[in-house]
Amino acid sequence: MTKSRHCKNLGHVVVKNSTLDTNLQAAGNLFTRLNSLSLHDRSNNSGSSNPQLAEEMPIRRKRSSPTMEESRSKRPKYSQARRCPSSGSELFNGKQCIAWFHEYTGPDEDTLGPDGMEKFCEDIGVEPENIVMLSLAYTLDAKSMGFFTLAEWLKGMTELQCDSVSKIRQKLEYLRNLLDDSVQFKNIYRYAFDFARDKDQRSMDMDTAKAMLTLLLGRKWPLFTSFHQYLDQSKYKVINKDQWCNILEFSRSIAPDLSNYDEDGAWPVLLDEFVDWYRDQRQMLS
Amino acid sequence: MLLPISVTIFALTVATIEAAIVRIMKSRKTLMHNQLVTECTEQLKSRFLPSPVVIKKRIEGLIEREYLARTPEDRKKYTYVA
């Protein structure tokens, strides 16, 4: 009870917390590497090395907390919570993270599927079709929509420093805010193509494309409704990656009245045809 | 568009345009969209006259098959993919 009250007061601190955690994890990484003089596994801090790190982390944190208190005199409550013995669950635990994963899968399975995903969404209070789930999948670098492998789960949840439902719920705002950053949104948008397409095909089928575009651009792009209508009546059955990426560029750079649309703009033919269609529609109505 | 209706000839046309595009891009490495269309038209003019739209469609096909790519810094500029 006390802890949750703390968490409520420190809502805005959670984001800083993750930066601190990242720094501490980086320090932990360096510490481990110096100790073992190991040269492998430089590129990522995910996978098998993590549970070890998680076990190392408690020692690091206890040592550095006095220093933290000095520099963070603005947040006495925060350091109090950290020193509180009952909040041992504040520290990220790799084993707990894996055990949490298995709440959604069979005991020996290494893939979380549709049933598990449904339960996971219920637990965190997010609908499966909510765009936050895409942001989460992106952070986990999940390959296929509707599935998380254990490796993806561990990598992503470690990055988010979450090993429980309550922790991930605190990160939902961070995940939502990712979408407000224009660079991150572009990354997530591009990622969404490979994530949502049928892995047997290079392109995405039109129904999936329309659904994903609605999710991603439905609220942002004034021309989206028209574009959706255009797709409905077009002969296109699939969308390829180049078209996908250019749709975002088009939505960002071309004015809603198409006044700055340039025919020599090297836009995919799909978009040229949309412009023709849209202008015809406008003409018919006027 | 001055293309004949026959499917075989159409396929040949597609192949010819694509070959021209790839040849140009291989030698130039990077090229703006307009320049590519112009050079492609130049190279083929003794045989037939493809419209810019047709050339653009072929460019898109080649992007999809990863012969070409748009440059990250300028989406109007293409680069040859080795």
Side-chain angles (χ1 to χ4, degrees):
Chain A
M1 260 324 244
T2 319
K3 198 155 77 82
S4 64
R5 220 184 289 141
H6 274 292
C7 292
K8 228 170 92 174
N9 288 340
L10 303 172
H12 66 287
V13 168
V14 174
V15 177
K16 280 189 187 174
N17 184 18
S18 63
T19 315
L20 179 63
D21 289 343
T22 315
N23 288 337
L24 284 170
Q25 183 140 11
N29 274 340
L30 198 55
F31 183 69
T32 314
R33 265 187 226 135
L34 286 172
N35 267 353
S36 62
L37 288 176
S38 163
L39 290 172
H40 61 84
D41 213 46
R42 311 192 77 218
S43 56
N44 59 23
N45 46 348
S46 65
S48 54
S49 58
N50 261 327
Q52 286 169 11
L53 275 175
E55 264 130 49
E56 303 241 21
M57 291 297 276
I59 305 165
R60 294 294 293 166
R61 287 191 190 205
K62 276 184 195 155
R63 258 189 242 143
S64 50
S65 59
T67 331
M68 264 176 12
E69 229 182 278
E70 282 157 26
S71 56
R72 308 233 185 291
S73 52
K74 291 184 232 168
R75 300 184 285 164
K77 278 182 191 165
Y78 177 68
S79 38
Q80 232 175 23
R82 303 206 96 199
R83 283 186 299 157
C84 175
S86 66
S87 59
S89 58
E90 283 250 10
L91 309 163
F92 176 80
N93 183 319
K95 282 193 183 136
Q96 194 174 315
C97 186
I98 296 173
W100 179 35
F101 176 82
H102 283 123
E103 284 178 35
Y104 306 109
T105 71
D108 282 319
E109 281 169 35
D110 64 354
T111 304
L112 194 163
D115 290 335
M117 193 65 77
E118 200 182 313
K119 182 165 185 285
F120 175 68
C121 289
E122 263 173 50
D123 286 350
I124 64 174
V126 178
E127 320 81 56
E129 58 280 0
N130 190 312
I131 199 173
V132 161
M133 290 303 293
L134 182 60
S135 194
L136 177 65
Y138 168 76
T139 308
L140 266 53
D141 200 15
K143 187 166 161 249
S144 289
M145 191 159 72
F147 298 88
F148 294 143
T149 65
L150 177 56
E152 290 163 356
W153 177 275
L154 199 51
K155 175 225 176 247
M157 292 302 181
T158 304
E159 227 174 87
L160 292 168
Q161 289 285 289
C162 291
D163 55 16
S164 69
V165 170
S166 57
K167 285 187 194 171
I168 190 85
R169 287 183 91 132
Q170 288 173 42
K171 295 285 170 162
L172 292 178
E173 195 176 318
Y174 160 76
L175 289 171
R176 239 173 247 125
N177 291 340
L178 271 185
L179 299 155
D180 291 329
D181 173 77
S182 107
V183 172
Q184 287 290 42
F185 182 83
K186 183 168 168 172
N187 291 336
I188 292 172
Y189 177 91
R190 288 184 165 215
Y191 159 82
F193 181 85
D194 289 312
F195 175 66
R197 77 173 154 93
D198 190 353
K199 300 299 174 279
D200 291 337
Q201 315 287 333
R202 278 188 115 150
S203 298
M204 187 191 284
D205 73 271
M206 190 48 81
D207 288 334
T208 310
K210 286 195 276 192
M212 292 304 292
L213 288 170
T214 307
L215 188 65
L216 287 157
L217 299 178
R219 294 214 192 123
K220 291 184 179 228
W221 187 22
L223 285 176
F224 181 72
T225 317
S226 301
F227 187 68
H228 193 281
Q229 270 174 22
Y230 156 73
L231 288 177
D232 280 338
Q233 60 80 53
S234 82
K235 53 174 164 41
Y236 291 98
K237 301 271 183 275
V238 293
I239 284 200
N240 68 36
K241 181 130 203 197
D242 187 53
Q243 290 162 332
W244 177 265
C245 294
N246 276 284
I247 290 169
L248 178 67
E249 294 310 314
F250 189 94
S251 76
R252 282 182 166 185
S253 62
I254 303 296
D257 63 356
L258 304 181
S259 52
N260 62 339
Y261 166 76
D262 45 340
E263 273 178 18
D264 290 331
W267 296 108
V269 175
L270 175 99
L271 287 168
D272 293 331
E273 289 175 352
F274 165 62
V275 169
D276 290 338
W277 175 89
Y278 184 77
R279 286 175 172 162
D280 286 343
Q281 292 278 298
R282 293 270 298 269
Q283 254 195 348
M284 283 198 317
L285 293 169
S286 60
Chain B
M1 227 164 63
L2 303 173
L3 292 177
I5 298 168
S6 154
V7 169
T8 318
I9 297 177
F10 177 72
L12 272 174
T13 312
V14 164
T16 309
I17 299 175
E18 289 192 344
I21 294 170
V22 171
R23 213 167 32 238
I24 294 163
M25 288 305 298
K26 192 166 180 180
S27 106
R28 309 284 243 109
K29 299 297 178 215
T30 66
L31 209 53
M32 296 300 290
H33 173 83
N34 290 344
Q35 293 170 300
L36 180 55
V37 172
T38 307
E39 284 201 31
C40 192
T41 314
E42 246 329 280
Q43 275 204 19
L44 297 173
K45 69 178 180 188
S46 60
R47 285 181 267 186
F48 59 95
L49 190 65
S51 74
V53 178
V54 166
I55 297 177
K56 195 199 261 200
K57 283 194 167 156
R58 301 283 60 84
I59 293 172
E60 279 177 48
L62 289 168
I63 291 175
E64 196 175 347
R65 283 140 60 208
E66 296 180 25
Y67 282 86
L68 313 182
R70 294 179 195 264
T71 61
E73 64 273 11
D74 183 354
R75 43 169 299 286
K76 292 196 209 183
K77 190 193 279 192
Y78 303 112
T79 178
Y80 177 72
V81 179

